[in-house]
Amino acid sequence: MANEAVKFVWEGAIPLQIHLHKSEVASHPAPPPALVLAPRLGYLPLLVALIKPYFKESLPPGEDSIWFDYKGFPLKWYIPTGVLFDLLCAEPERPWNLTIHFRGYPSNILIPCEGEDSVKWNFVNSLKEAAYIINGNCKNVMNMSQSDQEDLWTSVMNGDLDAYTRLSPKLKMGTIEDEFSGKTSSSSPQSRQGGTEADVAGQVKTARIPVRLYVRSINQDFENLEDVPEIDTWDDILYLNRPVEFLREEGKCFTLRDAIESLLPEFTEKRAQTSGEDGEEIAKDESEEAVGSPERSEIKLVRIQGIETKLEIPFSWVVNNLMNPEFYLHISVLVKAPQR
Amino acid sequence: MRRRVRENVRRLTEDGGGGRLMEDEAARFYFEKHLFVTTVSLQSPPERETERFRGLILLPPMDSVNDGKLSAEGFCVAARAFADKWKRHNQLLPPWSWIPLINRTLIVPNKEEGYLSLEKIILSSLEEEADSSEKEVSTDDTILKITEEECLDVTAEDLESIDHTILVQNVEKEAHYYDFNVVYSASYRVPVLYFRGYCSGGQPLSLDVIKEDLPSGSVGLLLESKWTFITQEEHPYLNRPWFKLHPCGTEEWIKLLSAAGCQIPVELYLVSWFSVVGQVVGLRIPHEMLN
């Protein structure tokens, strides 16, 4: 089942309908939109080789500086395509309507992109950072031969899970036992070297898991996901690039909720234990007791690889099956913030 | 000296047949060559005033760093100590300010978490400075050329009384302003220097333009290791493109400082770190800050 989940993730794709921005149409009539299937684990600039020939005849003369937008909102090319979709489309839109621009790059908002080269090095830098989090150093990434590194990148670009599975063990990212099934995954980020600490007496194990958390905070009420307002600016999104200190105690399961709450302590539900009449323990939210206390923020939705995940899932399963090829777990969270 | 450094950088980055990624080693070598000054400064005599003072009031020794890594809490302590020392010993430049993080999910500032910021600095080329013993200190619209000895004695109040014959208006080219942020990296568990350059009109400077303002050693290394030494990335808190000095070698050369026989107190971590990192972007700190 574990391998099956990873296979599903690698095969995941988003149907895109890509329009050429009307200010850049230099032909009559305007070209119809291009339809492309974008791999979830890929990056938007890697689609340019497919898209550009389609619009070539319609482009004005000049030098290209390619970028994409969604409803006028510039898309960060260094965030995997699947994560962008999960984050920006609360109610999934299929096909996803994007606009491509060949001019007027918004360099005040987006990091410059020099094509595939930039995307590759963004990937390698993320891989190094993940290795550092997991192993306490990035020697295994640094010592990878140029050809292996090229092949690893090609496997990611082409969505070739078999090639990736063959090459990724050379990174020696270690193994983590799946608390859910008792199986061990060798492609998951748990260190055998520096990232894990075992306290033999208490059987507490600690690992550092590379996580990128994207939190979208909505201040107004919404019943359905289609009522979620559109994003105006990237400032509406809280971005956290922080390792999760994965604590494992015997007899306890470290869940996805535990992981998210360790990164967002303000969402930890502080519950006071009080006894009921019949002696049962009743969990009572402290905020209900405090008179005039502000309304609590609430996590409405968590998405990983397009899956709306339950917070009670063992975190080890999530890490083993839903992480990206650069060994990062990308988590999109939709939060209902208190109205002010 | 500079030729030898370049040779070593070239040697380190040459592909030895294995085709390995060596750019980071080149970057590390660059940082390590700057460690000597820091190491010497940190090894002060055992009977220094602070130690005697500590002994008198029976204070425990300060927490120290010996594995090169810093905790988030340690960063806050080190940042405040660094900003305080800078203010006392570097009065010709603006102070560093502590920017508390705004928790955007709850819209409340978190006083314990934040980063350091130094804004609107004019960097002038340090090539001439290396050859002559002059130090260039920049304020918004003038550049003061002061000799090394004078520099130690000049205070903010003295600026008013400085003979205007040594004020050099920066007229030949438009001034380039720089903002510097010191941000804690939870991944690498070390501080990271972020910076951006812009013209007086606010237009951002490209790396090619910034290169002209950087010390030549940094430029040489930049050519050798385009993707790993200085990278342009999104600022973790400001959501905008900034340049950063890649932190993956920081822990190693901080460890070298410790190995040189000086346990670095947490309060001095950022001072020691910046005494090396600052030189990459042409910002030097007075030796007194290391005491």
Side-chain angles (χ1 to χ4, degrees), chain A residues 23-223:
Chain A
S23 70
E24 295 174 21
V25 175
S27 66
H28 189 76
L35 292 163
V36 180
L37 205 55
R40 273 192 155 272
L41 299 179
Y43 299 84
L44 289 173
L46 300 179
L47 302 173
V48 169
L50 284 172
I51 300 164
K52 193 182 172 184
Y54 184 84
F55 290 122
K56 199 178 176 187
E57 303 304 314
S58 305
L59 292 176
E63 208 172 308
D64 294 341
S65 52
I66 301 168
W67 56 287
F68 294 81
D69 85 52
Y70 173 56
K71 295 182 177 175
F73 184 76
L75 299 179
K76 293 182 176 178
W77 59 264
Y78 33 94
I79 296 177
T81 309
V83 179
L84 287 170
F85 182 65
D86 292 346
L87 188 61
L88 302 179
C89 295
E91 177 68 23
E93 176 187 308
R94 293 189 184 90
W96 191 22
N97 283 279
L98 302 184
T99 301
I100 189 168
H101 301 252
F102 289 83
R103 305 286 181 270
Y105 194 88
S107 54
N108 59 324
I109 299 170
L110 305 181
I111 295 164
C113 181
E114 297 165 25
E116 188 197 314
D117 224 15
S118 294
V119 185
K120 178 191 169 182
W121 282 101
N122 171 66
F123 173 82
V124 171
N125 276 335
S126 293
L127 192 62
K128 273 165 55 178
E129 191 167 348
Y132 207 99
I133 290 167
I134 296 158
N135 294 336
N137 63 66
C138 44
K139 285 172 188 156
N140 295 328
V141 180
M142 300 305 299
N143 292 337
M144 205 177 198
S145 72
Q146 202 72 48
S147 61
D148 278 348
Q149 196 192 110
E150 283 295 333
D151 292 346
L152 185 74
W153 169 240
T154 305
S155 73
V156 173
M157 263 204 319
N158 298 339
D160 184 348
L161 178 58
D162 291 337
Y164 178 83
T165 308
R166 198 170 59 250
L167 288 157
S168 60
K170 294 186 181 187
L171 295 168
K172 298 186 179 76
M173 293 287 200
T175 58
I176 180 172
E177 193 177 272
D178 195 334
E179 291 175 293
F180 180 71
S181 62
K183 288 179 185 172
T184 297
S185 163
S186 60
S187 63
S188 65
Q190 164 94 356
S191 165
R192 270 174 282 194
Q193 296 160 0
T196 313
E197 292 151 22
D199 172 8
V200 183
Q203 289 299 302
V204 178
K205 292 178 183 176
T206 310
R208 297 177 88 223
I209 307 295
V211 171
R212 288 189 173 151
L213 190 72
Y214 309 83
V215 185
R216 206 179 147 189
S217 204
I218 313 287
N219 289 85
Q220 59 200 66
D221 276 320
F222 58 91
E223 287 298 311

Side-chain angles (χ1 to χ4, degrees), chain B residues 209-227:
Chain B
V209 176
I210 288 171
K211 268 185 219 168
E212 294 168 23
D213 295 332
L214 292 177
S216 60
S218 304
V219 176
L221 186 58
L222 200 50
L223 297 171
E224 299 280 357
S225 53
K226 180 186 175 189
W227 297 102

